[in-house]
Amino acid sequence: MTNIEVKNLVKYFGQDENEVFTVDDVSFKVAQGEFICIMGPSGGGKSTILRIIAGLEKYDNGKITGMPKEKGFVFQNFALFPWMSVKDNIGFGLKMMGLSKEQIDQRVEELIKKMGLEGFEKAHPKELSGGMRQRVGIARALAINPEVLMLDEPFSSLDEIIALRLREELLKIWEETHKTVIMVTHSAEEAAFLADKVIILSKRLARIVGIVENSLARPRNVRSKQFFRLVDKISDLL
Amino acid sequence: MVIILGANSLSIITTIVFATMIWPMIFSLVGAIKTEKLDLADAATIYGAKKGFKRLINYRLPSFLPAFLSGSIVAWGLGWDAIFGAEIIARVNGIGGYLGQLSYAGKAALLFLGIIIYLILIFVLNQLIWLPLLRLTTRYQND
Ligand SMILES: Nc1ncnc2c1ncn2[C@@H]1O[C@H](COP(=O)(O)OP(=O)(O)OP(=O)(O)O)[C@@H](O)[C@H]1O
Ligand SMILES: [Mg+2]
């Protein structure tokens, strides 16, 4: 039942403190099972913050607590292993954990069904459409049953219709599994539709300019007045 | 070269061929490391192929395989030329050496035939070995 806490996070790229800052004193909390979205201008440090929390990038100051060892990560450009079939991509994390072939096969099969990938088990990523690739990306992340699911603009390189459909599927998965979700997005509608809490970063240096609590009841009606008001509130801060 | 070094012909040929072939391999591997897809490296880290032998086997080797193969193809092509030339220089038997002797002897028709055979040999080896391998790796590469 751990909450994740990011405290006074500082990161600069370059040699010393006078070099380009990217993240400047960012603090926030994520409660267990919460869905949070991180937003901000392009090049503002969103991916950097996510990668730091995921343990993929070092940081220069601050403290991060409560991150579990196992986490799923979904990439904007999918980052599937091109030399592996869909099945092997999904089972990769389990294989690294040292599970038996039977255990892996069983779990992979579940996820193939869950993500609607039946019939594509033996295909290679190159042979799939963008939407299907991201389904594999999400399946690979869920396969290890992580407490925390992190996504970096997972739907940004997809057609709008596909993006909308995957967005709803992600919400369904979250509602079923109660995983903690930290997601970077550039769409205010997406954040308003999905998140419990939206963290908005400033231009240039990543500082927090606002945290918007999103208490709209679910399922959220994207055509309601309150929804539009929330989208406006987020957009104004951006 | 042969006269200056005065070494035995086989070692000279080996050296020349090896020195010619090593460069395309090095260049293609350096290229692969430089254009390494950072997302893929991140994915490998996140999902447990973090370091050491595990990372080597599950991520590094397969991700560099296409570059390694295309480097090999260039190296192989250059190797042919190198062995051909080296044989002539070292005056040893072999297809290059034989063709060299023919050209010294002025036997144009045989020389022509020899070159044709040489080309066919290269063509067949490419069709049987390198092209299928290349086709295989492009399937395993992203875009
Ligand atoms: N390895 C690095 N070395 C130097 N600078 C970097 C490095 N990684 C990122 N940066 C810089 O840090 C800043 C923040 O990058 P980051 O990718 O986190 O932004 P972002 O908010 O995710 O942007 P986008 O919306 O384009 O995805 C950028 O100015 C980028 O150029
Ligand atoms: Mg980014």
Side-chain angles (χ1 to χ4, degrees):
Chain A
M1 294 296 119
T2 50
N3 301 327
I4 298 164
E5 186 165 6
V6 176
K7 232 178 152 181
N8 307 111
L9 184 68
V10 174
K11 166 82 185 173
Y12 37 80
F13 287 111
Q15 299 302 312
D16 58 76
E17 297 187 26
N18 301 322
E19 300 262 350
V20 202
F21 270 84
T22 304
V23 181
D24 185 20
D25 198 20
V26 163
S27 304
F28 59 88
K29 283 184 194 169
V30 188
Q32 161 97 20
E34 202 171 25
F35 196 132
I36 75 150
C37 281
I38 300 176
M39 299 193 68
S42 188
K46 305 180 295 291
S47 298
T48 303
I49 291 174
L50 202 66
R51 294 182 69 252
I52 289 172
I53 300 171
L56 290 167
E57 183 98 59
K58 293 199 188 89
Y59 50 101
D60 296 294
N61 225 322
K63 210 171 163 188
I64 295 164
T65 52
M67 269 305 284
K69 187 166 163 282
E70 308 302 344
K71 56 235 150 201
F73 202 108
V74 177
F75 299 82
Q76 179 173 355
N77 293 311
F78 324 123
L80 302 176
F81 302 115
W83 58 88
M84 284 180 199
S85 66
V86 164
K87 199 164 160 269
D88 290 345
N89 263 289
I90 298 174
F92 185 81
L94 300 171
K95 191 176 162 207
M96 293 303 103
M97 285 172 167
L99 267 67
S100 74
K101 201 179 163 301
E102 290 73 37
Q103 287 171 307
I104 296 174
D105 283 350
Q106 195 193 338
R107 180 77 181 136
V108 169
E109 186 125 344
E110 279 170 37
L111 283 151
I112 294 259
K113 278 211 192 87
K114 185 178 202 134
M115 295 309 299
L117 288 161
E118 293 101 332
F120 292 95
E121 290 87 343
K122 295 210 170 66
H124 280 256
K126 203 182 178 175
E127 295 151 352
L128 304 178
S129 67
M132 291 308 254
R133 287 185 204 188
Q134 199 56 302
R135 284 173 185 275
V136 179
I138 295 171
R140 177 176 65 179
L142 294 174
I144 58 173
N145 198 17
E147 257 179 72
V148 177
L149 184 59
M150 313 180 86
L151 309 95
D152 192 355
E153 304 204 34
F155 311 134
S156 293
S157 43
L158 304 177
D159 293 345
E160 198 178 330
I161 295 173
I162 310 277
L164 288 178
R165 189 175 307 155
L166 277 178
R167 180 194 288 180
E168 299 210 6
E169 285 187 40
L170 176 66
L171 188 65
K172 223 175 89 201
I173 289 165
W174 175 71
E175 283 167 345
E176 282 168 15
T177 59
H178 306 293
K179 289 185 190 308
T180 306
V181 177
I182 307 176
M183 170 169 157
V184 172
T185 175
H186 64 245
S187 156
E189 284 87 22
E190 194 159 277
F193 182 65
L194 293 172
D196 293 320
K197 194 159 91 184
V198 186
I199 294 170
I200 297 160
L201 303 171
S202 61
K203 288 207 175 67
R204 257 171 258 178
L205 287 190
R207 278 196 192 118
I208 291 181
V209 292
I211 296 182
V212 178
E213 298 285 341
N214 181 354
S215 50
L216 292 183
R218 301 173 192 273
R220 290 175 180 159
N221 179 359
V222 295
R223 287 188 183 79
S224 72
K225 228 187 215 148
Q226 296 98 308
F227 190 85
F228 283 126
R229 220 177 287 138
L230 187 70
V231 171
D232 280 345
K233 190 172 170 190
I234 295 168
S235 304
D236 284 347
L237 281 166
L238 277 170
Chain B
M1 281 282 276
V2 186
I3 301 152
I4 302 165
L5 294 171
N8 80 64
S9 8
L10 188 66
S11 72
I12 288 172
I13 292 174
T14 315
T15 312
I16 292 175
V17 172
F18 185 72
T20 316
M21 289 177 75
I22 194 79
W23 290 110
M25 304 296 297
I26 290 175
F27 282 131
S28 66
L29 281 182
V30 168
I33 291 164
K34 280 194 163 164
T35 59
E36 184 183 359
K37 289 265 174 21
L38 293 175
D39 274 3
L40 271 194
D42 281 351
T45 306
I46 284 278
Y47 295 112
K50 217 166 170 177
K51 51 192 172 189
F53 192 65
K54 220 172 177 182
R55 189 170 181 84
L56 185 75
I57 293 295
N58 293 292
Y59 167 66
R60 284 207 191 283
L61 289 182
S63 72
F64 290 162
L65 193 65
F68 186 75
L69 264 175
S70 60
S72 304
I73 292 172
V74 176
W76 182 255
L78 289 178
W80 275 111
D81 291 350
I83 209 167
F84 195 96
E87 281 176 5
I88 295 176
I89 295 167
R91 293 185 186 244
V92 295
N93 289 325
I95 192 161
Y98 183 60
L99 292 182
Q101 283 163 28
L102 287 177
S103 88
Y104 288 136
K107 292 179 182 162
L110 269 180
L111 178 65
F112 185 67
L113 188 68
I115 289 173
I116 298 278
I117 291 173
Y118 172 70
L119 290 177
I120 289 174
L121 185 67
I122 291 175
F123 178 77
V124 168
L125 281 170
N126 278 345
Q127 288 294 323
L128 289 182
I129 300 174
W130 294 113
L131 288 179
L133 274 177
L134 202 61
R135 232 170 266 138
L136 198 73
T137 58
T138 50
R139 184 173 182 234
Y140 294 168
Q141 244 174 326
N142 272 341
D143 311 314

